[in-house]
Amino acid sequence: MGSALTPAAGSAAVEFREVCYRIRDSLILDKLSFRIEPGETLVLLGRSGSGKTTALKLVNGLLFPSSGEVLVDGRPTTAWNVIALRRSIGYVIQEVGLFPHFTIGENVGLVPRLEGWPPERIASRTRELLEQVGLDPGQFADRRPRELSGGQRQRVGVARALAANPRLLLFDEPFGALDPVTRRELQDQFLGLRNTLQKTSIFVTHDVGEALRLSTRIAVLDRGRLEILATPEEFLRSQAPETRAFLEVLNFEPRINTDGHR
């Protein structure tokens, strides 16, 4: 099995077919079925415990279905060499997961190095990606993660996910721990990269505003079940109960009394 994602003709980038996931007697995902087409950004939206992150981990082989199938480019994850699958998918998490003893440049170039790229190609790719995420290579490549702010570390995490030029990117609440201004800046950067690079992305969040801003479609999960799969415009018109609960949060505007108290 090769290390690159080689799509079958006409296949979805990712497909869930009647996927269930259990932990002992607990059903975490219940007959989950949907397709993600090449180039789109699907946001998995739901409350804590709805199964969003579990679904994401089923895509890159960190978990496997209890029943049903998850297909990546037409091939079940169980048929992939799991190491090759993971190296072929960019993965960005909230805690970033940078290696503290590596420089920023070494962190970004990790997967290309594991794939056997020559040093000069790795160095060139690292410089290119740091520039793409708004970090000057001359200023940041030789720093350690502890010398960066949270927002800067998250930018490095995105650069590392892109390093081997994957066709598929997974984001697990990557901006959730950041302040609102930095979060907005990184959302803007994500949209810019998506428009430029045309990557397929799956993005997990419980922030409905973020879901509407970043998605081409939104999948709302409720206790492991798919409530709706909709474009942002369809989402805003939906009368599905869990979707309406998220929309009520979106529409809530705190009132400020004249004495300055809420």
Side-chain angles (χ1 to χ4, degrees), residues 159-194:
R160 184 177 64 180
L162 290 168
N165 197 29
R167 297 179 63 250
L168 176 61
L169 298 170
L170 308 180
F171 295 84
D172 191 0
E173 301 195 56
F175 311 144
L178 302 175
D179 65 84
V181 175
T182 302
R183 184 170 187 162
R184 182 79 172 194
E185 290 173 350
L186 288 178
Q187 289 173 358
D188 287 342
Q189 186 175 81
F190 170 84
L191 290 170
L193 288 171
R194 184 184 73 188

Side-chain angles (χ1 to χ4, degrees), residues 117-241:
W117 289 23
E120 61 276 10
R121 186 182 175 197
I122 295 172
S124 175
R125 180 66 171 161
T126 298
R127 289 192 299 270
E128 173 191 355
L129 288 168
L130 288 176
E131 289 172 353
Q132 276 191 329
V133 299
L135 298 174
D136 179 3
Q139 184 179 355
F140 289 96
D142 293 328
R143 292 190 186 183
R144 306 284 174 177
R146 65 178 178 274
E147 301 176 75
L148 274 59
S149 69
Q152 289 169 338
R153 287 194 296 272
Q154 202 60 274
R155 291 172 192 266
V156 174
V158 172
R160 184 177 64 180
L162 290 168
N165 197 29
R167 297 179 63 250
L168 176 61
L169 298 170
L170 308 180
F171 295 84
D172 191 0
E173 301 195 56
F175 311 144
L178 302 175
D179 65 84
V181 175
T182 302
R183 184 170 187 162
R184 182 79 172 194
E185 290 173 350
L186 288 178
Q187 289 173 358
D188 287 342
Q189 186 175 81
F190 170 84
L191 290 170
L193 288 171
R194 184 184 73 188
N195 293 339
T196 300
L197 302 176
Q198 300 295 306
K199 302 290 186 184
T200 306
S201 302
I202 307 175
F203 197 106
V204 164
T205 187
H206 57 260
D207 182 323
V208 63
E210 186 166 71
L212 288 165
R213 189 157 193 257
L214 300 184
S215 66
T216 56
R217 289 192 298 162
I218 301 170
V220 178
L221 298 186
D222 181 21
R223 290 166 288 185
R225 289 178 172 268
L226 179 65
E227 182 181 73
I228 67 164
L229 180 59
T231 65
E233 293 77 14
E234 293 166 341
F235 177 92
L236 291 169
R237 297 193 299 267
S238 173
Q239 297 302 311

Side-chain angles (χ1 to χ4, degrees), residues 71-159:
L71 290 81
V72 176
D73 279 326
R75 186 191 304 176
T77 54
T78 51
W80 280 91
N81 176 308
V82 70
I83 300 302
L85 176 65
R86 291 174 190 167
R87 288 183 185 176
S88 299
I89 298 174
Y91 190 38
V92 184
I93 59 176
Q94 185 176 126
E95 298 84 4
V96 185
L98 301 179
F99 291 101
H101 55 291
F102 283 10
T103 66
I104 297 309
E106 289 169 339
N107 269 284
V108 173
L110 177 62
V111 173
R113 189 160 55 251
L114 292 172
E115 290 292 302
W117 289 23
E120 61 276 10
R121 186 182 175 197
I122 295 172
S124 175
R125 180 66 171 161
T126 298
R127 289 192 299 270
E128 173 191 355
L129 288 168
L130 288 176
E131 289 172 353
Q132 276 191 329
V133 299
L135 298 174
D136 179 3
Q139 184 179 355
F140 289 96
D142 293 328
R143 292 190 186 183
R144 306 284 174 177
R146 65 178 178 274
E147 301 176 75
L148 274 59
S149 69
Q152 289 169 338
R153 287 194 296 272
Q154 202 60 274
R155 291 172 192 266
V156 174
V158 172

